[in-house]
Amino acid sequence: MSPAAQVKRRSALRKASFVVVANRLPVDRDTGPDGTVQWRKSPGGLVTALEPVMRRNGGAWIGWHGAPDEKLPPFQYDGLELVPVHLTTAEIEEYYEGFSNATLWPLYHDVVAHPEFHREWWDAYVTVNRRFAERAAKAAARDAVVWVQDYQLQLVPKMLRKLRPDLRIGFFLHIPFPPTELFQQLPWRRQILEGLLGADLVGFQLPGAAQNFIRLVRQRVGHKTHRETVYLPDGRSVLAKAYPISIDAAEFEELARKPETTARAEDIRRSLGNPKHVLLGIDRLDYTKGLRQRLRAFGELIADGEVDVDDAVFIQVATPSRERVDQYRILRDDIDRLVGRINGDVGRIGQQPITYLHASYPRSEMAALYRAADVMVVTPLRDGMNLVAKEYVACQYDDKGALVLSEFAGAAAELKQAYQVNPYDINGTKSALLQAMRAGDRENSRRMKAMRKQVNDNDIDHWASNFLRELMADRDLHEKQPRPV
Ligand code: G6P
């Protein structure tokens, strides 16, 4: 056997004492023109959040590598052990685009789009969740800690516990958990709740989401509950609590302070004609993000004469996402049309009020955009957390800039000094944008200072260590607490 094959084989057999299970691996593949394959760290909230934790703890990451019908062996990337899970073309359609992103995603986000219920999609969700559970069961060492991530894998905790009762299993939901009235629509509601109850600890972004879950478990599954604990008939107990996710604030600040970032930010402003106000939105192109309402609000401010087209530019970056799902295609066309209409209606030669970019950028460019912006506009209709809001704050090391933030983003619970808006209220959004643009430096700096303290004191380390500490806390002690009768 060649040395390379030996390394591969050894890494495939090594058992990990810390295992992350997520729909995606934290890397994307790049195939060069000459056919050489290179993996790159992928962008995105989930990866941003977990990568530093993995690096410090070591361990294996189990996830889909993003391509159809391809089985890849486990491999190492930058010191991480990666275990690819294959998905067939049909499974991508039914498990990923279907049940995960056309059933659960809209249902869990306040049904801002209509969720579709199809039995074949559910069957694929069960099959793929089982595959992830089996892979995790194989990769984990005895008594290992396994941390399952997000809505695509809600059945994994129960399946994994059945295969490996020795494991300590955590689950974290990155998106909102809906109120009971909406969750009840799901034909497979009981199976999802029971799937999650396979974990020792179920984490949510907000306390309200944990309460929704506990209430549903009591009503739908009939288990006893007391505050944050569910008591199962087999004597086990499950804790459901909020752990608001965050970012590596120090890393963003470091990036923001680089001379290259400052130069690039100046470049960006210059190429826009050095306007008085640069407003910025950076989102995945998703119907939950409130792009329509936000752009309309800005367009109306110019049409009303409240903002001069020579004074303000709105940069909207929309990262391509889930492009094969119908609702996302419709949204893309809608936004293309809306931007065209607003620029056509209120723009002038050489003055386009909205600079719209349908693209994804590396972190360095994001940091430069954050530094170039006077007002960051984060106005989702519903969002589990929204890390862009926190990234912007982390980059404002000089306490400048203003954040306009939706009340319906999880981040609103922490970033109280933002200009908070109800994103459905277009007049309210217009007022908040004006207020943020017109506030003096002192007012904005007072607000930014407070938000920066919040983000710096509660960064990604804090999130991960709180969750893992609780997950590994002495269960015997916990179980000796008196049970409700
Ligand atoms: C959200 C979800 C993640 C997901 C990400 C990107 O942040 O919570 O689980 O990975 O969106 O979406 P995608 O469908 O491209 O993985």
Side-chain angles (χ1 to χ4, degrees):
M1 199 188 293
S2 74
Q6 273 174 5
V7 169
K8 220 175 249 167
R9 172 67 69 83
R10 209 176 302 131
S11 96
L13 291 177
R14 205 183 68 203
K15 303 261 179 189
S17 55
F18 180 63
V19 179
V20 172
V21 190
N23 178 53
R24 285 185 186 273
L25 283 179
V27 289
D28 291 321
R29 187 168 31 186
D30 242 357
T31 309
D34 56 350
T36 51
V37 169
Q38 265 197 329
W39 295 92
R40 262 184 304 111
K41 215 165 53 191
S42 36
L46 180 59
V47 175
T48 313
L50 281 179
E51 189 234 320
V53 187
M54 279 293 294
R55 200 165 297 291
R56 269 191 306 277
N57 291 288
W61 184 308
I62 295 173
W64 174 45
H65 48 82
D69 302 309
E70 186 186 25
K71 289 191 177 174
L72 293 177
F75 65 101
Q76 300 238 339
Y77 172 85
D78 203 7
L80 302 180
E81 174 88 9
L82 305 183
V83 183
V85 174
H86 78 276
L87 293 181
T88 65
T89 301
E91 284 165 351
I92 293 171
E93 274 170 28
E94 296 178 348
Y95 147 79
Y96 169 69
E97 291 158 1
F99 199 78
S100 296
N101 289 315
T103 305
L104 293 173
W105 182 268
L107 181 69
Y108 281 31
H109 286 88
D110 276 3
V111 298
V112 298
H114 184 67
E116 287 183 50
F117 302 117
H118 298 295
R119 283 164 286 183
E120 332 65 270
W121 289 4
W122 165 253
D123 293 342
Y125 187 78
V126 175
T127 306
V128 172
N129 270 247
R130 181 155 299 120
R131 188 172 309 144
F132 274 84
E134 282 164 359
R135 207 48 67 81
K138 222 162 115 191
R142 200 172 163 71
D143 297 326
V145 170
V146 180
W147 195 354
V148 184
Q149 307 292 325
D150 229 355
Y151 62 102
Q152 304 93 342
L153 301 175
Q154 292 172 100
L155 305 179
V156 169
K158 180 179 176 186
M159 291 170 168
L160 184 55
R161 179 166 299 279
K162 201 148 181 223
L163 294 167
R164 292 287 306 273
D166 59 302
L167 300 176
R168 186 59 54 97
I169 304 170
F171 179 92
F172 186 77
L173 185 71
H174 292 252
I175 68 173
F177 190 79
T180 54
E181 291 77 6
L182 295 181
F183 188 81
Q184 320 242 35
Q185 290 183 11
L186 192 64
W188 307 278
R189 58 201 178 185
R190 191 184 167 113
Q191 289 95 315
I192 296 275
L193 295 171
E194 286 175 344
L196 292 171
L197 288 171
D200 296 289
L201 175 61
V202 185
F204 298 89
Q205 302 280 22
L206 297 176
Q211 284 153 20
N212 289 345
F213 174 72
I214 296 265
R215 193 173 315 127
L216 272 160
V217 165
R218 200 170 48 240
Q219 289 171 353
R220 287 277 146 211
V221 197
H223 292 324
K224 290 214 163 61
T225 67
H226 180 63
R227 297 206 174 140
E228 296 163 324
T229 310
V230 179
Y231 297 92
L232 303 182
D234 65 1
R236 218 164 51 80
S237 60
V238 178
L239 210 53
K241 279 177 76 169
Y243 298 86
I245 201 168
S246 194
I247 56 162
D248 188 337
E251 190 190 310
F252 269 96
E253 175 160 347
E254 200 185 308
L255 196 55
R257 283 180 182 275
K258 283 192 172 166
E260 305 91 275
T261 307
T262 309
R264 176 68 191 134
E266 281 166 8
D267 245 26
I268 292 172
R269 290 192 73 105
R270 204 174 312 120
S271 59
L272 296 170
N274 275 322
K276 230 154 105 190
H277 308 283
V278 174
L279 295 88
L280 173 67
I282 301 184
D283 308 82
R284 266 185 321 99
L285 185 51
D286 194 297
Y287 50 79
T288 58
K289 300 293 184 183
L291 296 169
R292 290 189 190 105
Q293 291 83 343
R294 172 194 311 175
L295 295 174
R296 276 185 59 196
F298 179 68
E300 285 186 20
L301 284 176
I302 297 177
D304 298 347
E306 294 276 12
V307 171
D308 191 321
V309 73
D310 293 322
D311 284 349
V313 171
F314 199 119
I315 308 176
Q316 177 63 57
V317 176
T319 309
S321 183
R322 305 174 192 164
E323 291 181 290
R324 287 156 43 100
V325 179
D326 286 346
Q327 298 275 8
Y328 289 76
R329 282 195 199 144
I330 296 169
L331 175 72
R332 181 169 183 198
D333 290 345
D334 277 6
I335 299 297
D336 283 353
R337 256 197 307 274
L338 182 62
V339 170
R341 186 179 322 140
I342 295 172
N343 279 343
D345 283 350
V346 297
R348 281 209 291 267
I349 289 177
Q351 283 303 341
Q352 296 270 295
I354 301 172
T355 294
Y356 176 59
L357 303 156
H358 181 246
S360 48
Y361 293 105
R363 262 187 223 202
S364 52
E365 182 72 357
M366 301 268 278
L369 283 162
Y370 292 142
R371 291 298 300 158
D374 304 295
V375 181
M376 183 78 209
V377 189
V378 182
T379 52
L381 305 177
R382 180 58 74 192
D383 211 330
M385 176 53 62
N386 199 297
L387 296 177
V388 162
K390 293 188 173 179
E391 288 172 9
Y392 176 71
V393 167
C395 287
Q396 306 313 306
Y397 55 83
D398 48 7
D399 297 331
K400 291 198 172 137
L403 175 65
V404 173
L405 180 61
S406 163
E407 292 167 21
F408 306 139
E414 293 172 85
L415 303 178
K416 298 216 170 68
Q417 296 76 11
Y419 295 89
Q420 293 205 359
V421 296
N422 167 359
Y424 292 98
D425 174 2
I426 301 210
N427 284 347
T429 305
K430 287 163 74 177
S431 309
L433 292 176
L434 277 183
Q435 213 190 332
M437 280 189 265
R438 290 177 182 168
D441 287 349
R442 268 183 68 188
E443 171 64 12
N444 277 340
S445 132
R446 181 187 65 78
R447 290 172 180 254
M448 189 56 74
K449 254 198 189 92
M451 292 193 286
R452 285 179 54 70
K453 177 159 174 35
Q454 172 67 29
V455 172
N456 285 324
D457 290 353
N458 297 283
D459 68 355
I460 184 69
D461 271 353
H462 187 86
W463 171 75
S465 54
N466 278 350
F467 186 95
L468 290 171
R469 191 181 319 113
E470 188 84 61
L471 178 58
M472 293 189 266
D474 189 347
R475 300 295 295 179
D476 290 344
L477 263 184
H478 181 65
E479 275 155 19
K480 277 180 201 136
Q481 303 286 323
R483 288 168 162 260
V485 280

Coordinates of all heavy atoms in Angstrom, one line a residue, residues 123-182:
D123 N -40.0 10.9 3.3 CA -39.3 9.6 3.3 C -37.9 9.8 3.0 O -37.0 9.2 3.6 CB -39.9 8.7 2.2 CG -41.4 8.3 2.5 OD1 -41.8 8.4 3.7 OD2 -42.1 7.9 1.6
A124 N -37.5 10.8 2.1 CA -36.1 11.0 1.8 C -35.4 11.7 3.0 O -34.3 11.4 3.3 CB -36.0 12.0 0.6
Y125 N -36.1 12.5 3.8 CA -35.6 13.1 5.0 C -35.2 12.1 6.0 O -34.1 12.1 6.6 CB -36.6 14.1 5.5 CG -36.2 15.0 6.7 CD1 -35.4 16.1 6.5 CD2 -36.6 14.7 8.0 CE1 -35.0 16.9 7.5 CE2 -36.2 15.5 9.1 CZ -35.4 16.6 8.8 OH -35.0 17.4 9.9
V126 N -36.1 11.1 6.2 CA -35.8 10.0 7.1 C -34.6 9.2 6.6 O -33.7 8.9 7.4 CB -37.1 9.0 7.2 CG1 -36.7 7.8 8.1 CG2 -38.3 9.8 7.8
T127 N -34.6 8.8 5.4 CA -33.4 8.0 4.8 C -32.1 8.8 5.0 O -31.1 8.2 5.5 CB -33.6 7.8 3.3 OG1 -34.9 7.2 3.1 CG2 -32.6 6.9 2.7
V128 N -32.1 10.0 4.7 CA -30.8 10.8 4.8 C -30.4 11.0 6.2 O -29.2 10.9 6.6 CB -30.9 12.1 3.9 CG1 -29.7 12.9 4.2 CG2 -31.1 11.8 2.5
N129 N -31.4 11.3 7.1 CA -31.0 11.5 8.5 C -30.4 10.2 9.0 O -29.5 10.2 9.8 CB -32.3 11.9 9.3 CG -32.5 13.4 9.4 OD1 -32.4 14.0 10.5 ND2 -32.7 14.0 8.3
R130 N -31.0 9.0 8.6 CA -30.4 7.7 9.1 C -29.0 7.6 8.6 O -28.1 7.1 9.3 CB -31.3 6.6 8.6 CG -30.8 5.2 9.0 CD -31.8 4.2 9.1 NE -32.9 4.5 10.0 CZ -34.2 4.6 9.7 NH1 -34.6 4.4 8.4 NH2 -35.1 4.9 10.6
R131 N -28.7 8.0 7.4 CA -27.3 7.9 6.8 C -26.4 8.7 7.7 O -25.3 8.3 8.0 CB -27.3 8.3 5.4 CG -26.0 8.1 4.7 CD -26.1 8.3 3.2 NE -27.2 7.6 2.6 CZ -27.9 8.1 1.6 NH1 -27.7 9.3 1.1 NH2 -28.9 7.4 1.1
F132 N -26.8 9.9 8.0 CA -25.9 10.8 8.8 C -25.7 10.1 10.2 O -24.6 10.2 10.7 CB -26.5 12.2 9.0 CG -26.2 13.2 7.9 CD1 -26.9 13.2 6.7 CD2 -25.1 14.0 8.0 CE1 -26.7 14.1 5.7 CE2 -24.9 15.0 7.0 CZ -25.6 15.0 5.9
A133 N -26.8 9.6 10.8 CA -26.7 9.0 12.1 C -25.7 7.8 12.1 O -24.9 7.6 13.0 CB -28.0 8.5 12.6
E134 N -25.8 7.0 11.0 CA -24.9 5.8 10.9 C -23.5 6.2 10.8 O -22.6 5.6 11.4 CB -25.4 4.9 9.7 CG -26.6 4.1 10.1 CD -27.3 3.5 8.8 OE1 -26.8 3.8 7.7 OE2 -28.3 2.8 9.0
R135 N -23.3 7.3 10.0 CA -21.9 7.7 9.8 C -21.3 8.3 11.1 O -20.2 8.0 11.4 CB -21.9 8.9 8.7 CG -20.7 9.1 7.9 CD -20.1 7.8 7.4 NE -20.9 7.2 6.4 CZ -21.0 7.5 5.1 NH1 -20.2 8.5 4.6 NH2 -21.7 6.9 4.2
A136 N -22.2 9.0 11.9 CA -21.7 9.5 13.1 C -21.4 8.4 14.1 O -20.4 8.4 14.8 CB -22.7 10.5 13.7
A137 N -22.3 7.4 14.1 CA -22.1 6.2 15.0 C -20.8 5.5 14.7 O -20.1 5.1 15.6 CB -23.3 5.2 14.8
K138 N -20.4 5.5 13.5 CA -19.1 4.8 13.1 C -17.9 5.7 13.4 O -16.9 5.2 13.8 CB -19.2 4.6 11.6 CG -18.6 3.3 11.2 CD -19.1 2.9 9.8 CE -17.8 2.8 8.9 NZ -18.2 2.7 7.5
A139 N -18.0 7.0 13.3 CA -16.9 7.9 13.5 C -16.6 8.2 15.0 O -15.5 8.5 15.3 CB -17.1 9.2 12.8
A140 N -17.6 8.0 15.8 CA -17.4 8.5 17.2 C -16.7 7.4 18.1 O -17.1 6.2 18.0 CB -18.8 8.8 17.8
A141 N -15.8 7.8 18.9 CA -15.2 7.0 19.9 C -16.1 6.7 21.0 O -17.2 7.3 21.2 CB -13.9 7.6 20.4
R142 N -15.8 5.7 21.9 CA -16.6 5.4 23.0 C -16.8 6.6 23.9 O -15.9 7.4 24.1 CB -15.9 4.3 23.8 CG -16.9 3.6 24.7 CD -16.6 2.4 25.4 NE -17.7 2.3 26.4 CZ -19.0 2.0 26.1 NH1 -19.3 1.7 24.9 NH2 -19.9 2.0 27.1
D143 N -18.0 6.9 24.3 CA -18.4 8.0 25.2 C -18.1 9.4 24.6 O -18.0 10.4 25.3 CB -17.7 7.9 26.5 CG -18.1 6.7 27.3 OD1 -19.2 6.3 27.2 OD2 -17.2 6.1 28.0
A144 N -18.0 9.4 23.3 CA -17.7 10.7 22.6 C -18.8 11.7 22.7 O -20.0 11.3 23.1 CB -17.4 10.5 21.1
V145 N -18.5 13.0 22.5 CA -19.5 14.0 22.4 C -19.9 14.3 20.9 O -19.0 14.5 20.1 CB -19.0 15.3 23.1 CG1 -19.9 16.5 22.8 CG2 -18.8 15.1 24.5
V146 N -21.1 14.2 20.6 CA -21.6 14.5 19.2 C -22.5 15.7 19.2 O -23.4 15.7 20.0 CB -22.3 13.2 18.6 CG1 -22.7 13.5 17.2 CG2 -21.4 12.0 18.7
W147 N -22.2 16.6 18.4 CA -23.0 17.8 18.3 C -23.6 17.9 16.9 O -23.0 18.1 15.9 CB -22.1 19.1 18.5 CG -22.8 20.3 18.8 CD1 -24.2 20.5 18.8 CD2 -22.3 21.6 19.2 NE1 -24.5 21.7 19.2 CE2 -23.4 22.4 19.4 CE3 -21.0 22.1 19.4 CZ2 -23.2 23.8 19.8 CZ3 -20.9 23.4 19.8 CH2 -21.9 24.2 20.0
V148 N -25.0 17.7 16.9 CA -25.7 17.7 15.7 C -26.3 19.1 15.4 O -26.7 19.8 16.3 CB -26.9 16.7 15.8 CG1 -27.7 16.6 14.4 CG2 -26.4 15.3 16.2
Q149 N -26.2 19.5 14.1 CA -26.6 20.9 13.8 C -27.8 21.0 12.9 O -27.8 20.4 11.9 CB -25.4 21.6 13.0 CG -24.1 21.5 13.7 CD -24.0 22.3 15.0 OE1 -24.6 23.4 15.1 NE2 -23.3 21.9 16.0
D150 N -28.7 21.8 13.3 CA -29.7 22.4 12.4 C -30.9 21.6 11.9 O -30.9 20.3 12.0 CB -29.0 23.2 11.3 CG -29.6 24.6 11.2 OD1 -30.6 24.9 11.9 OD2 -29.1 25.4 10.4
Y151 N -31.8 22.3 11.3 CA -33.1 21.7 10.9 C -33.1 20.6 9.9 O -34.0 19.8 9.8 CB -34.0 22.9 10.4 CG -33.5 23.5 9.1 CD1 -34.0 23.2 7.9 CD2 -32.4 24.4 9.1 CE1 -33.5 23.8 6.7 CE2 -31.9 25.0 8.0 CZ -32.5 24.7 6.8 OH -32.0 25.2 5.6
Q152 N -32.0 20.5 9.2 CA -31.9 19.4 8.2 C -31.8 18.0 8.9 O -32.0 17.0 8.2 CB -30.7 19.6 7.2 CG -30.7 20.9 6.5 CD -29.8 22.0 7.2 OE1 -29.6 21.9 8.4 NE2 -29.4 23.0 6.5
L153 N -31.3 18.0 10.1 CA -31.0 16.7 10.8 C -31.7 16.5 12.1 O -31.1 16.0 13.0 CB -29.4 16.7 11.0 CG -28.6 16.9 9.7 CD1 -27.1 16.9 10.0 CD2 -28.9 15.7 8.8
Q154 N -32.9 16.9 12.2 CA -33.6 16.8 13.5 C -33.9 15.4 13.9 O -34.3 15.1 15.1 CB -34.9 17.6 13.4 CG -34.7 19.1 13.3 CD -36.0 19.9 13.1 OE1 -36.5 20.4 14.0 NE2 -36.4 19.8 11.8
L155 N -33.8 14.4 13.0 CA -34.1 13.0 13.4 C -32.8 12.3 13.9 O -32.9 11.2 14.5 CB -34.7 12.2 12.3 CG -36.0 12.8 11.7 CD1 -36.5 11.9 10.5 CD2 -37.1 12.9 12.7
V156 N -31.7 12.9 13.6 CA -30.4 12.2 13.9 C -30.2 11.9 15.4 O -29.8 10.8 15.8 CB -29.2 13.1 13.4 CG1 -27.9 12.5 13.9 CG2 -29.2 13.0 11.9
P157 N -30.6 12.8 16.4 CA -30.3 12.5 17.8 C -31.0 11.2 18.2 O -30.3 10.3 18.8 CB -30.9 13.7 18.5 CG -30.8 14.8 17.6 CD -31.0 14.2 16.2
K158 N -32.2 11.0 17.9 CA -32.9 9.7 18.3 C -32.3 8.5 17.6 O -32.0 7.5 18.2 CB -34.4 9.8 17.9 CG -35.1 8.6 18.4 CD -36.6 8.6 18.0 CE -37.3 7.3 18.4 NZ -38.7 7.3 18.0
M159 N -32.0 8.6 16.3 CA -31.4 7.5 15.5 C -30.0 7.1 16.1 O -29.7 6.0 16.2 CB -31.3 7.9 14.1 CG -32.7 8.0 13.4 SD -32.4 8.7 11.7 CE -34.0 8.5 11.0
L160 N -29.3 8.2 16.4 CA -27.9 8.0 16.9 C -27.9 7.4 18.3 O -27.1 6.5 18.6 CB -27.2 9.3 16.9 CG -25.7 9.3 17.3 CD1 -24.9 8.4 16.4 CD2 -25.2 10.8 17.1
R161 N -28.8 7.8 19.1 CA -28.9 7.3 20.5 C -29.2 5.8 20.5 O -28.7 5.0 21.2 CB -29.9 8.0 21.3 CG -30.1 7.5 22.7 CD -30.8 8.4 23.6 NE -30.2 9.7 23.7 CZ -29.1 9.9 24.5 NH1 -28.6 9.0 25.3 NH2 -28.6 11.1 24.6
K162 N -30.1 5.4 19.5 CA -30.4 4.0 19.4 C -29.2 3.1 19.0 O -29.0 2.1 19.5 CB -31.5 3.9 18.3 CG -32.3 2.6 18.4 CD -33.7 2.8 18.0 CE -34.4 1.4 18.2 NZ -35.2 1.0 17.1
L163 N -28.4 3.7 18.1 CA -27.2 3.0 17.6 C -26.1 3.0 18.7 O -25.3 2.1 18.8 CB -26.6 3.6 16.3 CG -27.5 3.5 15.1 CD1 -27.0 4.5 14.0 CD2 -27.5 2.1 14.6
R164 N -26.0 4.2 19.4 CA -24.8 4.4 20.3 C -25.3 5.0 21.6 O -25.1 6.2 21.8 CB -23.8 5.2 19.6 CG -23.1 4.6 18.4 CD -22.1 3.6 18.9 NE -21.2 4.1 19.9 CZ -20.0 4.8 19.6 NH1 -19.7 4.9 18.3 NH2 -19.2 5.2 20.5
P165 N -25.9 4.2 22.5 CA -26.4 4.8 23.8 C -25.3 5.4 24.7 O -25.6 6.2 25.6 CB -27.1 3.7 24.5 CG -26.9 2.4 23.6 CD -26.2 2.8 22.4
D166 N -24.0 5.1 24.4 CA -22.9 5.6 25.2 C -22.6 7.1 24.9 O -22.0 7.7 25.7 CB -21.6 4.8 25.0 CG -21.2 4.8 23.5 OD1 -22.0 4.4 22.6 OD2 -20.1 5.3 23.2
L167 N -23.1 7.6 23.8 CA -22.7 9.0 23.4 C -23.4 10.1 24.2 O -24.5 9.9 24.6 CB -22.9 9.2 21.9 CG -22.2 8.2 21.0 CD1 -22.7 8.5 19.5 CD2 -20.7 8.4 21.1
R168 N -22.7 11.2 24.3 CA -23.4 12.4 24.8 C -23.8 13.2 23.6 O -22.9 13.5 22.8 CB -22.4 13.1 25.7 CG -22.9 14.3 26.4 CD -24.0 14.0 27.4 NE -23.7 13.0 28.4 CZ -23.3 13.3 29.6 NH1 -23.1 14.5 30.0 NH2 -23.1 12.3 30.4
I169 N -25.1 13.4 23.4 CA -25.5 14.0 22.2 C -26.1 15.4 22.4 O -27.0 15.6 23.2 CB -26.6 13.1 21.5 CG1 -26.0 11.7 21.3 CG2 -27.1 13.7 20.2 CD1 -27.0 10.7 20.8
G170 N -25.6 16.4 21.7 CA -26.2 17.7 21.7 C -26.8 18.1 20.3 O -26.4 17.5 19.3
F171 N -27.8 18.9 20.4 CA -28.4 19.4 19.1 C -28.6 20.9 19.2 O -29.0 21.4 20.2 CB -29.8 18.8 18.9 CG -30.4 19.2 17.6 CD1 -30.3 18.5 16.4 CD2 -31.2 20.4 17.6 CE1 -30.8 19.0 15.2 CE2 -31.8 20.8 16.4 CZ -31.6 20.1 15.2
F172 N -28.2 21.6 18.1 CA -28.5 23.1 18.1 C -29.2 23.5 16.9 O -28.9 23.1 15.7 CB -27.2 23.9 18.2 CG -27.4 25.3 18.3 CD1 -27.8 25.9 19.5 CD2 -27.3 26.2 17.2 CE1 -28.1 27.2 19.7 CE2 -27.6 27.6 17.3 CZ -28.0 28.1 18.6
L173 N -30.3 24.2 17.1 CA -31.1 24.7 15.9 C -30.7 26.1 15.6 O -30.9 27.0 16.5 CB -32.6 24.6 16.3 CG -33.6 25.0 15.2 CD1 -33.6 23.9 14.1 CD2 -35.0 25.2 15.7
H174 N -30.2 26.3 14.4 CA -29.7 27.7 14.1 C -30.9 28.6 13.6 O -30.6 29.8 13.5 CB -28.7 27.6 13.0 CG -27.4 26.9 13.4 ND1 -26.3 27.6 13.6 CD2 -27.2 25.6 13.8 CE1 -25.3 26.7 14.0 NE2 -25.9 25.5 14.1
I175 N -32.0 28.1 13.3 CA -33.1 28.9 12.8 C -34.2 29.0 13.9 O -34.1 28.3 14.9 CB -33.6 28.3 11.5 CG1 -34.4 27.0 11.7 CG2 -32.5 28.2 10.5 CD1 -35.1 26.5 10.4
P176 N -35.2 29.8 13.7 CA -36.2 29.9 14.7 C -36.9 28.6 14.9 O -37.0 27.8 14.0 CB -37.2 31.0 14.2 CG -36.5 31.7 13.1 CD -35.5 30.7 12.5
F177 N -37.5 28.4 16.1 CA -38.4 27.2 16.3 C -39.8 27.8 16.4 O -40.0 28.7 17.3 CB -38.0 26.4 17.6 CG -38.8 25.1 17.6 CD1 -38.4 24.1 16.8 CD2 -39.9 25.0 18.4 CE1 -39.1 22.9 16.9 CE2 -40.6 23.8 18.4 CZ -40.2 22.7 17.7
P178 N -40.7 27.4 15.6 CA -42.0 28.1 15.5 C -42.9 28.0 16.7 O -42.8 27.0 17.4 CB -42.6 27.5 14.2 CG -42.1 26.1 14.1 CD -40.7 26.2 14.7
P179 N -43.9 28.9 16.8 CA -44.9 28.8 17.8 C -45.7 27.5 17.5 O -45.8 27.0 16.4 CB -45.8 30.0 17.6 CG -45.2 30.8 16.5 CD -44.0 30.1 15.9
T180 N -46.3 27.0 18.6 CA -47.0 25.7 18.5 C -48.1 25.7 17.4 O -48.2 24.8 16.6 CB -47.7 25.4 19.8 OG1 -48.5 26.4 20.2 CG2 -46.7 25.1 20.9
E181 N -48.8 26.8 17.2 CA -49.9 26.9 16.2 C -49.4 26.6 14.8 O -50.1 26.0 14.0 CB -50.5 28.3 16.2 CG -51.3 28.7 17.4 CD -50.5 29.0 18.6 OE1 -49.2 29.1 18.5 OE2 -51.0 29.2 19.7
L182 N -48.1 27.1 14.5 CA -47.6 26.8 13.2 C -47.0 25.4 13.1 O -47.2 24.7 12.1 CB -46.5 27.9 12.8 CG -47.1 29.3 12.7 CD1 -45.9 30.3 12.3 CD2 -48.1 29.4 11.6

